[in-house]
Amino acid sequence: MDQPGFPNLFHDSIGVPDPINYLRFPNRDRGSSITGDDRRRWDSDDDDDEISGENKQKERKGSRRQVPQEPPARERPAEGSEWPYRESLSFTRSLLFYGAGSFTEESEHACRVLQECRNLRNKYNGKKGTHVPDRDKLKENGLVFHIGKEGIAEIVHPSQPQSILIIVPTVEEFFKDYSRLVEGVCEGAVRSFCFQRLQMLSTSFKMHTTINGLVEQQEQNGLLGNDFYRTLKIDNHIHAAAAPSAKQFVEFVRRKLETEADVVVNKEGKTLQQMFSEAGLDKDHLTIDAFNVLADYSVYQRFDNFNSKYSPFRLADMRRIFLKTNNFMGGRYFAELLKIVIDRHEKSKGHNSACEMRLSIYGMERHEWYDLAKWMLEDWEIPDFPGPLISTHNRWHIQIPRLWRIYSKKPTSPGDEERSFVEMIENLFVPLFEATLKPEENPEIAEAMKHIVGFDSVDDEGAAEDPCACQRPHEWKSKKNPAYWWQLYFIWANLEVLNSLRSERGLNTFSFRPHAGETGDPMHLAATYMLCKSINHGILLDMQVSLQYLYYLDQIGLAISPLSNNFLFRRIAENPFPKFFRRGLNVTVSTDDPLLFHLSDDALLEEYSVARTSFDLSMTDIMEIARYSVLQSGFEDSFKERWLGKEYKRGLTFCDEVTTNVPLIRSKFRAEHLALEHMIVHLIAAGKAATVLEEMKVQFGLARDAHRDVLFENFDEVPQFPERGQL
């Protein structure tokens, strides 16, 4: 049915009309040529002479009903094929014809550097640098491994103990590539070119929404059976220890103090009531203000104050009782709290949502993985929410705090060597390789790994770091944290080996999605560009336009938390989120720490609401941001197909517009501009700029003349005005 006020433009169950490459006549055979009077739009008024008046109207309407429209094209048809038949043209586009001076020698150099940077990313994130000599051997039993002198897991077959089965680039190689990337993105020519392209993307989006905003809105209104609340939104970045809201936390503690006051909560045998009494607390203190967990301006640029907010009443014992997995109670209260959070997602209270919560593995002890797995899989006897902490609406991430500065101070036994960084790597990764190679001997960890989809690296990016070059982990004995890029490399390298092994054995793999670009050195984002599929935060990209453009070209996901940023590092009015979004970066909103930053029980909905109001976003914008959250997530393909469409992997235009509630117009706008940017960079880097400009001049002349002819031919008498000769 045509939408009111927009005849023949919007069609339910069909989607957005697509452009056609020539005018069609419906009665001709498909594939036949068009000649003479047939060269007209079918929905034009050029009906045959013998049909006139009322009969003409009836004939035209009747004929339109008889010619079924075809589904819109989601990409250009194959060479020689026709565009699908549509009654109306698609949305308004603005074509840019480049003229003299548009591309210079500087542009060519910049594009070559950009291509070099993208090749470096493919080497690490695209697995081009990972070498697997014999994949079949990885499927065999009896493989052995150890953390080698490079600080990376080495897997060998007993029959060939000298042949490493998975080889990744060394730390020297990465350092060289990373240094080249940093050098490249800082070049003046590269910064100028990227700034120009990003500005043009911003302008293009502004023009698109100005011209097509109403069209998008009408098309979205025609996507019946769906809306913002029914469409899935995933909280891609949320820390489990701060997942409940302050209100939920206070009510939970009050309920436990009323019903379980006599439960022993620590190894000294003290009850919950005793713990509160000794702290000078009673039921009157069970308020959000007294708990003192909500962030305020005391945490701005102060990570130490921020971390202390995790402890109710600023008491570490309270945090240990309620927000830890490895306490005297086996983490029961923490499990119950998270069950409340997960239940809200499972029951779709308010709207459809899911989450990816973070749990910590510190690398302090080898048994941390076993303890965490046991806690995750415990059959919790909770009246309202029994069973393990496994949910259809949550996937676990493991966050690794960068706490070498603390681990290095652990006392050693007499006669032991000084502690080195390799010990933390062994604590982090040895249990994972053991569970992968011998799941029957490590059933808890092997099972828990099935429900983990990613790894994160967390801590204050602004904290002091010791510079380092190519030291191996066993050589790092300084009491200070090593450089950010160095730590990320060794996490990535061991994950790469682990993923290659698990992939060949038919097991699930893990993405690497660290915190980056929240504060500190913007060049942290250069390391994550090379190593990661998506990151958390990334707001410092607005300080480095070259990296920002690279993140756009490769559509690296950014899970930004505007409310968290507002309290910690960047006021919401200065947040670059709307700039990134309008330029076409893969951005979504996430909550980070609802316990500290949000006032409602539905923190994700609050985040969307604040973003919409603060950044002046339309409902189409909001739905696009929600779609990005599903694309960035680590949920399995079958889950994504349900919420994005069966063919979502083929690109944005293949995401189902009814399921995502994102009009195809918006998807095609994004896809077309991304494709054009890729083509421009490739062509200029290949030295084709001059050829392209010459051809552009010819095509511009043809297009200008065609545009003028359309205008002039529709006037009965062309009006006179001074500038007429310019057309």
Side-chain angles (χ1 to χ4, degrees):
M1 177 185 295
D2 294 335
Q3 297 293 322
F6 290 83
N8 304 318
L9 195 57
F10 308 100
H11 305 274
D12 297 339
S13 78
I14 294 177
V16 182
D18 244 296
I20 58 173
N21 59 347
Y22 55 85
L23 304 176
R24 291 190 178 84
F25 184 68
N27 295 324
R28 71 180 179 86
D29 295 333
R30 301 287 291 175
S32 62
S33 60
I34 306 175
T35 58
D37 294 337
D38 289 347
R39 193 172 288 277
R40 57 180 170 81
R41 293 260 335 143
W42 167 239
D43 54 356
S44 72
D45 290 327
D46 301 332
D47 298 284
D48 296 334
D49 292 337
E50 63 268 28
I51 304 176
S52 60
E54 184 177 347
N55 290 333
K56 177 188 290 187
Q57 296 297 327
K58 290 180 180 179
E59 177 68 18
R60 182 161 63 239
K61 292 179 181 178
S63 297
R64 286 179 186 172
R65 286 195 295 269
Q66 294 167 9
V67 182
Q69 294 192 85
E70 299 166 350
R74 298 181 181 275
E75 62 184 359
R76 177 173 287 277
E79 191 68 30
S81 301
E82 297 178 355
W83 286 94
Y85 176 76
R86 309 294 294 163
E87 282 195 349
S88 300
L89 291 173
S90 184
F91 61 97
T92 304
R93 292 166 169 84
S94 57
L95 289 177
L96 189 62
F97 290 88
Y98 295 93
S102 298
F103 306 131
T104 63
E105 289 184 5
E106 264 199 1
S107 303
E108 187 173 322
H109 172 74
C111 288
R112 285 176 178 166
V113 173
L114 290 173
Q115 291 293 75
E116 183 183 358
C117 292
R118 299 190 67 210
N119 289 335
L120 290 176
R121 170 175 165 78
N122 285 333
K123 178 177 178 179
Y124 295 88
N125 195 264
K127 295 183 175 292
K128 295 290 179 68
T130 301
H131 181 50
V132 184
D134 190 344
R135 295 185 179 277
D136 290 336
K137 272 193 166 51
L138 292 176
K139 301 172 184 176
E140 297 181 13
N141 294 325
L143 298 181
V144 295
F145 83 98
H146 69 282
I147 303 297
K149 65 179 182 179
E150 297 289 333
I152 302 168
E154 297 179 354
I155 302 172
V156 299
H157 194 279
S159 64
Q160 296 175 301
Q162 303 304 315
S163 300
I164 300 173
L165 296 178
I166 303 170
I167 303 169
V168 299
T170 63
V171 67
E172 287 101 343
E173 211 173 336
F174 178 75
F175 179 64
K176 178 183 176 183
D177 293 338
Y178 170 71
S179 300
R180 174 59 192 133
L181 179 70
V182 171
E183 179 187 3
V185 299
C186 290
E187 288 188 29
V190 179
R191 294 202 309 269
S192 293
F193 179 83
C194 293
F195 175 75
Q196 180 194 62
R197 302 310 306 176
L198 290 169
Q199 289 290 91
M200 292 174 70
L201 286 168
S202 295
T203 303
S204 296
F205 183 81
K206 179 65 176 176
M207 185 177 295
H208 171 77
T209 53
T210 300
I211 299 174
N212 298 308
L214 185 58
V215 179
E216 284 187 335
Q217 179 185 337
Q218 291 284 1
E219 178 62 22
Q220 191 172 40
N221 293 345
L223 299 174
L224 303 181
N226 205 358
D227 56 26
F228 170 78
Y229 296 96
R230 300 182 191 185
T231 304
L232 183 70
K233 294 155 287 293
I234 296 180
D235 194 347
N236 304 98
H237 169 208
I238 175 172
H239 300 280
S245 68
K247 176 171 168 282
Q248 288 172 327
F249 189 28
V250 171
E251 289 176 350
F252 179 83
V253 174
R254 179 188 293 114
R255 189 163 61 251
K256 291 304 174 184
L257 201 55
E258 291 173 351
T259 60
E260 299 185 17
D262 297 329
V263 170
V264 177
V265 295
N266 67 10
K267 60 184 179 182
E268 287 79 25
K270 293 180 180 179
T271 65
L272 186 62
Q273 182 64 65
Q274 288 175 315
M275 294 295 294
F276 271 80
S277 298
E278 290 180 8
L281 304 171
D282 55 31
K283 290 182 180 179
D284 291 337
H285 289 89
L286 300 182
T287 66
I288 292 176
D289 292 338
F291 264 54
N292 195 22
V293 292
L294 285 174
D296 51 36
Y297 292 122
S298 69
V299 305
Y300 190 71
Q301 299 287 345
R302 287 290 301 273
F303 226 74
D304 54 342
N305 288 346
F306 165 72
N307 282 330
S308 69
K309 287 286 186 179
Y310 276 86
S311 300
F313 311 108
R314 298 296 177 98
L315 298 174
D317 283 340
M318 293 299 174
R319 181 177 182 177
R320 190 172 300 111
I321 292 169
F322 290 102
L323 299 175
K324 291 290 184 179
T325 63
N326 56 342
N327 53 27
F328 177 78
M329 303 176 66
R332 178 167 68 87
Y333 283 167
F334 189 32
E336 290 187 37
L337 262 172
L338 294 185
K339 287 272 190 176
I340 294 171
V341 175
I342 292 173
D343 180 69
R344 186 175 188 90
H345 291 291
E346 290 180 343
K347 292 181 177 176
S348 299
K349 293 183 178 178
H351 64 120
N352 276 328
S353 61
C355 59
E356 295 183 298
M357 285 196 275
R358 269 80 173 153
L359 293 168
S360 293
I361 289 289
Y362 299 93
M364 300 290 179
E365 304 289 346
R366 190 71 60 89
H367 59 75
E368 287 179 36
W369 274 107
Y370 173 78
D371 295 342
L372 183 64
K374 191 171 180 242
W375 176 83
M376 285 174 60
L377 302 173
E378 177 79 26
D379 189 10
W380 296 102
E381 296 182 2
I382 304 170
D384 294 332
F385 319 109
L389 279 158
I390 307 300
S391 169
T392 57
H393 283 61
N394 176 61
R395 296 295 179 271
W396 293 108
H397 283 241
I398 298 301
Q399 61 181 30
I400 303 172
R402 298 185 294 278
L403 298 178
W404 163 253
R405 64 187 183 276
I406 295 175
Y407 181 86
S408 64
K409 297 174 184 176
K410 287 182 64 177
T412 58
S413 302
D416 286 353
E417 293 184 7
E418 189 178 5
R419 293 196 180 278
S420 68
F421 197 87
V422 75
E423 296 173 33
M424 288 192 77
I425 290 179
E426 290 173 345
N427 290 339
L428 290 169
F429 288 102
V430 166
L432 300 180
F433 281 98
E434 289 176 342
T436 299
L437 291 172
K438 297 181 179 179
E440 68 283 354
E441 296 179 14
N442 306 274
E444 294 86 0
I445 299 176
E447 179 61 29
M449 290 173 75
K450 297 177 183 177
H451 306 284
I452 296 169
V453 299
F455 280 73
D456 194 349
S457 175
V458 300
D459 200 24
D460 181 6
E461 289 184 74
E465 298 173 343
D466 258 12
C468 51
C470 301
Q471 297 97 322
R472 273 41 177 195
H474 71 271
E475 298 171 332
W476 189 268
K477 298 180 180 180
S478 166
K479 301 301 180 186
K480 294 183 180 179
N481 270 3
Y484 178 90
W485 70 263
W486 190 88
Q487 295 190 64
L488 254 63
Y489 163 77
F490 283 105
I491 295 174
W492 169 84
N494 283 284
L495 274 179
E496 180 72 3
V497 175
L498 181 64
N499 282 336
S500 297
L501 172 65
R502 291 179 65 85
S503 177
E504 293 300 327
R505 297 169 86 90
L507 301 172
N508 64 300
T509 58
F510 314 105
S511 62
F512 188 26
R513 293 160 56 185
H515 281 50
E518 183 181 18
T519 185
D521 186 357
M523 284 305 149
H524 291 176
L525 292 158
T528 53
Y529 172 75
M530 294 174 69
L531 301 176
C532 308
K533 293 186 183 302
S534 61
I535 63 172
N536 307 303
H537 295 300
I539 55 176
L540 291 187
L541 276 177
D542 70 333
M543 299 175 64
Q544 226 298 329
V545 290
S546 305
L547 282 174
Q548 187 183 145
Y549 188 59
L550 285 169
Y551 271 69
Y552 165 74
L553 288 176
D554 289 301
Q555 288 293 288
I556 299 172
L558 307 175
I560 298 178
S561 305
L563 285 176
S564 168
N565 299 150
N566 181 67
F567 282 102
L568 286 172
F569 298 110
R570 189 77 68 94
R571 297 290 184 245
I572 203 161
E574 301 164 358
N575 197 294
F577 179 91
K579 182 197 301 181
F580 294 166
F581 170 74
R582 287 163 185 149
R583 287 174 173 175
L585 276 75
N586 178 358
V587 291
T588 190
V589 293
S590 56
T591 61
D592 198 354
D593 299 284
L595 179 66
L596 281 69
F597 301 124
H598 298 80
L599 297 178
S600 68
D601 287 346
D602 198 324
L604 187 59
L605 191 60
E606 185 177 338
E607 200 78 48
Y608 273 88
S609 178
V610 170
R612 184 187 179 214
T613 303
S614 302
F615 304 141
D616 192 24
L617 301 173
S618 71
M619 287 310 297
T620 300
D621 298 339
I622 287 292
M623 297 317 309
E624 192 177 10
I625 291 165
R627 181 178 63 185
Y628 281 134
S629 76
V630 183
L631 286 167
Q632 287 184 29
S633 77
F635 280 76
E636 49 279 353
D637 287 342
S638 58
F639 184 94
K640 290 185 177 182
E641 286 176 0
R642 176 186 173 191
W643 294 102
L644 296 174
K646 293 289 185 183
E647 296 186 287
Y648 79 92
K649 286 186 176 181
R650 296 181 62 185
L652 291 180
T653 60
F654 288 90
C655 290
D656 184 80
E657 55 271 22
V658 176
T659 304
T660 61
N661 208 34
V662 179
L664 189 55
I665 290 175
R666 176 64 63 88
S667 299
K668 290 180 79 66
F669 168 79
R670 294 294 195 194
E672 287 173 6
H673 278 267
L674 182 59
L676 285 170
E677 293 300 317
H678 277 282
M679 290 183 67
I680 286 170
V681 172
H682 276 278
L683 286 168
I684 297 177
K688 302 287 187 179
T691 304
V692 169
L693 287 178
E694 284 301 314
E695 185 63 23
M696 282 279 186
K697 293 176 185 178
V698 175
Q699 295 300 326
F700 171 70
L702 296 174
R704 178 186 57 190
D705 291 346
H707 187 268
R708 179 198 59 199
D709 291 345
V710 169
L711 295 176
F712 281 14
E713 288 173 3
N714 281 278
F715 276 107
D716 293 331
E717 182 178 349
V718 180
Q720 297 295 324
F721 49 91
E723 294 82 7
R724 174 177 167 177
Q726 300 297 322
L727 294 177

